[in-house]
Coordinates of all heavy atoms in Angstrom, one line a residue:
G426 N 64.9 64.0 -267.8 CA 64.6 62.6 -267.4 C 63.7 62.7 -266.2 O 63.9 63.5 -265.3
W427 N 62.8 61.7 -266.1 CA 61.8 61.7 -265.0 C 61.7 60.2 -264.6 O 61.1 59.4 -265.2 CB 60.5 62.3 -265.4 CG 59.4 62.4 -264.4 CD1 59.5 63.0 -263.2 CD2 58.1 61.8 -264.4 NE1 58.4 62.9 -262.5 CE2 57.5 62.1 -263.2 CE3 57.4 61.0 -265.4 CZ2 56.2 61.7 -262.9 CZ3 56.1 60.6 -265.1 CH2 55.5 61.0 -263.9
H428 N 62.3 59.9 -263.4 CA 62.2 58.5 -262.9 C 62.5 57.5 -263.9 O 61.8 56.5 -264.1 CB 60.8 58.3 -262.3 CG 60.4 59.1 -261.2 ND1 61.1 59.2 -260.0 CD2 59.4 60.0 -261.0 CE1 60.5 60.0 -259.1 NE2 59.5 60.6 -259.8
R429 N 63.6 57.7 -264.6 CA 64.0 56.8 -265.7 C 64.3 55.4 -265.2 O 64.0 54.4 -265.9 CB 65.3 57.3 -266.4 CG 65.1 58.5 -267.3 CD 66.4 58.8 -268.0 NE 66.2 59.9 -269.0 CZ 65.8 59.7 -270.2 NH1 65.5 58.5 -270.7 NH2 65.7 60.8 -271.0
G430 N 64.7 55.2 -263.9 CA 65.0 53.9 -263.4 C 63.8 53.1 -263.1 O 63.9 51.9 -262.8
M431 N 62.6 53.7 -263.2 CA 61.3 53.0 -263.0 C 60.4 53.0 -264.2 O 59.2 52.8 -264.1 CB 60.6 53.6 -261.8 CG 61.2 53.2 -260.4 SD 61.0 51.4 -260.1 CE 59.3 51.3 -259.7
L432 N 61.0 53.2 -265.4 CA 60.2 53.1 -266.6 C 60.1 51.6 -267.0 O 60.6 51.2 -268.1 CB 60.9 53.9 -267.7 CG 61.0 55.4 -267.5 CD1 61.7 56.1 -268.7 CD2 59.6 56.0 -267.3
I433 N 59.4 50.9 -266.2 CA 59.2 49.4 -266.4 C 58.3 49.2 -267.5 O 57.2 49.8 -267.6 CB 58.7 48.8 -265.1 CG1 59.7 49.0 -263.9 CG2 58.4 47.3 -265.3 CD1 59.2 48.5 -262.6
D434 N 58.7 48.3 -268.4 CA 57.8 47.9 -269.5 C 56.5 47.5 -269.1 O 56.3 46.6 -268.3 CB 58.5 46.8 -270.3 CG 57.7 46.4 -271.6 OD1 57.1 47.3 -272.2 OD2 57.7 45.2 -271.9
G435 N 55.4 48.1 -269.6 CA 54.1 47.8 -269.3 C 53.5 48.5 -268.1 O 52.2 48.5 -267.9
A436 N 54.3 49.2 -267.3 CA 53.8 49.9 -266.1 C 53.0 51.1 -266.6 O 53.5 51.9 -267.5 CB 54.9 50.3 -265.2
T437 N 51.9 51.4 -266.1 CA 51.0 52.5 -266.5 C 51.0 53.7 -265.5 O 51.4 53.5 -264.4 CB 49.6 52.0 -266.7 OG1 49.0 51.5 -265.5 CG2 49.5 51.0 -267.8
M438 N 50.6 54.8 -266.0 CA 50.5 56.0 -265.2 C 49.3 55.8 -264.2 O 48.4 55.0 -264.5 CB 50.2 57.2 -266.0 CG 51.4 57.6 -267.0 SD 52.8 58.2 -266.0 CE 52.2 59.7 -265.4
Q439 N 49.3 56.5 -263.1 CA 48.2 56.3 -262.1 C 47.3 57.6 -262.2 O 46.4 57.7 -261.3 CB 48.8 56.1 -260.7 CG 49.5 54.8 -260.6 CD 50.2 54.6 -259.3 OE1 51.3 55.1 -259.0 NE2 49.5 53.9 -258.4
V440 N 47.6 58.4 -263.1 CA 46.7 59.6 -263.4 C 46.3 59.6 -264.8 O 47.0 59.1 -265.7 CB 47.3 60.9 -263.0 CG1 47.6 61.0 -261.5 CG2 48.6 61.2 -263.8
S441 N 45.1 60.2 -265.1 CA 44.6 60.3 -266.5 C 45.6 61.1 -267.3 O 46.2 62.1 -266.9 CB 43.2 60.9 -266.4 OG 42.9 61.4 -267.7
F442 N 45.6 60.8 -268.6 CA 46.4 61.6 -269.6 C 45.9 63.0 -269.7 O 46.7 63.9 -270.1 CB 46.4 60.9 -271.0 CG 45.1 61.0 -271.7 CD1 44.8 62.2 -272.5 CD2 44.2 60.0 -271.6 CE1 43.7 62.3 -273.2 CE2 43.0 60.1 -272.4 CZ 42.7 61.3 -273.1
L443 N 44.7 63.3 -269.3 CA 44.1 64.6 -269.3 C 44.8 65.5 -268.2 O 44.7 66.7 -268.3 CB 42.6 64.6 -269.1 CG 41.8 64.0 -270.2 CD1 40.4 63.9 -269.9 CD2 42.0 64.8 -271.5
K444 N 45.4 64.9 -267.2 CA 46.2 65.6 -266.2 C 47.7 65.7 -266.7 O 48.6 65.4 -265.9 CB 46.0 65.0 -264.9 CG 44.6 65.1 -264.3 CD 44.5 64.5 -262.9 CE 43.1 64.8 -262.4 NZ 43.0 64.3 -261.0
D445 N 47.8 66.2 -267.9 CA 49.2 66.3 -268.5 C 49.8 67.7 -268.0 O 49.4 68.3 -267.0 CB 49.1 66.2 -270.0 CG 48.2 67.2 -270.7 OD1 47.8 68.2 -270.0 OD2 47.8 66.9 -271.8
L446 N 50.7 68.2 -268.8 CA 51.4 69.4 -268.4 C 50.5 70.7 -268.6 O 50.9 71.7 -268.1 CB 52.6 69.6 -269.3 CG 53.7 68.5 -269.1 CD1 54.7 68.6 -270.2 CD2 54.3 68.6 -267.7
V447 N 49.4 70.6 -269.3 CA 48.7 71.8 -269.7 C 47.2 71.7 -269.8 O 46.5 72.7 -269.7 CB 49.3 72.3 -271.0 CG1 49.0 71.4 -272.2 CG2 48.9 73.7 -271.4
T448 N 46.6 70.6 -270.1 CA 45.2 70.5 -270.4 C 44.3 71.1 -269.4 O 43.3 71.8 -269.8 CB 44.8 69.0 -270.7 OG1 45.5 68.5 -271.8 CG2 43.3 68.9 -270.9
M449 N 44.5 70.9 -268.1 CA 43.6 71.4 -267.1 C 43.6 73.0 -267.1 O 42.6 73.6 -266.7 CB 44.0 70.9 -265.7 CG 43.9 69.4 -265.5 SD 42.2 68.9 -265.3 CE 42.0 69.4 -263.6
R450 N 44.7 73.6 -267.6 CA 44.7 75.0 -267.7 C 44.3 75.6 -269.1 O 43.6 76.6 -269.2 CB 46.2 75.5 -267.4 CG 46.4 77.0 -267.4 CD 47.8 77.4 -267.1 NE 48.8 76.7 -267.9 CZ 49.1 77.0 -269.1 NH1 48.6 78.1 -269.7 NH2 50.0 76.4 -269.8
N451 N 44.8 74.9 -270.1 CA 44.5 75.3 -271.5 C 44.4 74.1 -272.4 O 45.3 73.7 -273.0 CB 45.7 76.2 -271.9 CG 45.5 76.7 -273.4 OD1 44.4 76.6 -273.9 ND2 46.5 77.2 -274.0
P452 N 43.1 73.6 -272.5 CA 42.9 72.4 -273.4 C 43.3 72.6 -274.8 O 43.5 71.7 -275.6 CB 41.4 72.2 -273.2 CG 41.0 72.8 -272.0 CD 41.9 74.0 -271.9
A453 N 43.3 73.9 -275.3 CA 43.7 74.2 -276.7 C 45.2 74.3 -276.9 O 45.6 74.6 -278.0 CB 43.0 75.5 -277.1
S454 N 46.0 74.1 -275.9 CA 47.4 74.3 -276.1 C 48.0 73.3 -277.1 O 47.5 72.2 -277.3 CB 48.1 74.0 -274.7 OG 49.5 74.0 -274.8
E455 N 49.1 73.7 -277.6 CA 49.9 72.9 -278.5 C 50.7 71.9 -277.8 O 51.4 71.0 -278.4 CB 50.8 73.7 -279.5 CG 51.8 74.5 -278.8 CD 52.7 75.3 -279.7 OE1 53.4 74.7 -280.5 OE2 52.6 76.6 -279.6
F456 N 50.7 71.9 -276.5 CA 51.5 71.0 -275.6 C 50.7 69.9 -274.9 O 51.3 69.3 -274.0 CB 52.3 71.8 -274.6 CG 53.4 72.7 -275.2 CD1 53.1 74.0 -275.5 CD2 54.7 72.2 -275.5 CE1 54.1 74.8 -276.1 CE2 55.6 73.0 -276.0 CZ 55.4 74.3 -276.3
T457 N 49.5 69.7 -275.3 CA 48.7 68.6 -274.6 C 49.2 67.3 -275.0 O 49.9 67.1 -276.1 CB 47.2 68.8 -275.0 OG1 47.1 68.5 -276.4 CG2 46.7 70.1 -274.7
F458 N 48.8 66.3 -274.3 CA 49.2 64.9 -274.6 C 48.5 64.5 -275.9 O 49.1 63.7 -276.7 CB 48.7 64.0 -273.5 CG 49.1 62.5 -273.6 CD1 50.4 62.1 -273.4 CD2 48.2 61.6 -274.1 CE1 50.7 60.8 -273.6 CE2 48.5 60.3 -274.3 CZ 49.8 59.8 -274.0
L459 N 47.3 65.0 -276.2 CA 46.7 64.7 -277.5 C 47.5 65.2 -278.6 O 47.6 64.6 -279.7 CB 45.2 65.2 -277.5 CG 44.3 64.4 -276.5 CD1 42.9 65.1 -276.6 CD2 44.2 63.0 -276.8
Q460 N 48.0 66.5 -278.5 CA 48.8 67.0 -279.5 C 50.1 66.2 -279.7 O 50.6 66.0 -280.9 CB 49.2 68.5 -279.2 CG 48.0 69.5 -279.3 CD 47.6 69.8 -280.7 OE1 48.3 69.3 -281.7 NE2 46.6 70.6 -280.9
Y461 N 50.6 65.7 -278.6 CA 51.8 64.8 -278.7 C 51.5 63.5 -279.5 O 52.2 63.1 -280.4 CB 52.3 64.4 -277.3 CG 53.0 63.1 -277.2 CD1 54.3 62.9 -277.6 CD2 52.3 62.0 -276.8 CE1 54.9 61.7 -277.5 CE2 52.9 60.8 -276.6 CZ 54.2 60.6 -277.0 OH 54.9 59.4 -276.9

């Protein structure tokens, strides 16, 4: 869980989806947001 108490409906991230868990290091990873 990550800040579950603030998962407000409609609230957006303040960073690009490209700054996910892996893309900046390995864009070909199976763990990118696009793969999700």
Side-chain angles (χ1 to χ4, degrees):
W427 183 58
H428 298 297
R429 286 186 178 274
M431 284 293 288
L432 296 180
I433 297 172
D434 181 37
T437 58
M438 297 293 292
Q439 293 175 280
V440 296
S441 165
F442 71 87
L443 293 173
K444 293 185 175 182
D445 57 20
L446 297 169
V447 66
T448 296
M449 294 284 284
R450 178 180 56 80
N451 178 16
S454 171
E455 62 180 297
F456 291 94
T457 66
F458 185 77
L459 292 178
Q460 289 286 357
Y461 152 80

